Amino acid sequence: MTTPVARRRATASAPLDGREIRALLDDLDGQIISMVLRRAELARHDQSVRRTSGLPASELARENGVLRRYAEELGRHGVDIGRAVLVLSQLTRGVRGKS
C-alpha cells in the first residue's frame, strides 16, 4: 500500500490542491504519531533495563542532549517538542487514546 506521501513523490511536478495538501499533512501526522509511540516503547524498555541494572530509570545528561538536538534542528520551539516527546516516552503503557 502506498501512502499519500509516496504517491505524491511519484508525481511531484503537478501542483497540489488543498485536499491533497491536507491528505499529505494527515499522512505525516500519522507517521509522527507512530514514531512517537515507537520511541515511547523503546524508552520504556531502556528504562526497565536501567532499573534492572540498579541505575536510575532516566539519565539527565541524555535527556538534555535530546532537548539540545531538538533545539538545534528546530529552533527555540524545538525544545517544547522535545519535552513533549520525553514526557510521552516516560508514560506507562496505553498512551494511545489517553490525554
Side-chain angles (χ1 to χ4, degrees), residues 27-47:
D27 181 57
L28 288 171
D29 286 337
Q31 290 179 48
I32 291 167
I33 291 166
S34 292
M35 288 187 283
V36 168
L37 290 171
R38 177 67 175 136
R39 189 193 191 287
E41 178 184 327
L42 290 170
R44 281 191 305 272
H45 179 72
D46 181 57
Q47 292 162 7

Side-chain angles (χ1 to χ4, degrees), residues 66-83:
V66 169
L67 294 176
R68 196 169 27 260
R69 180 175 180 198
Y70 274 86
E72 289 169 359
E73 295 291 328
L74 302 173
R76 184 170 58 96
H77 294 295
V79 174
D80 297 332
I81 296 169
R83 277 193 195 110

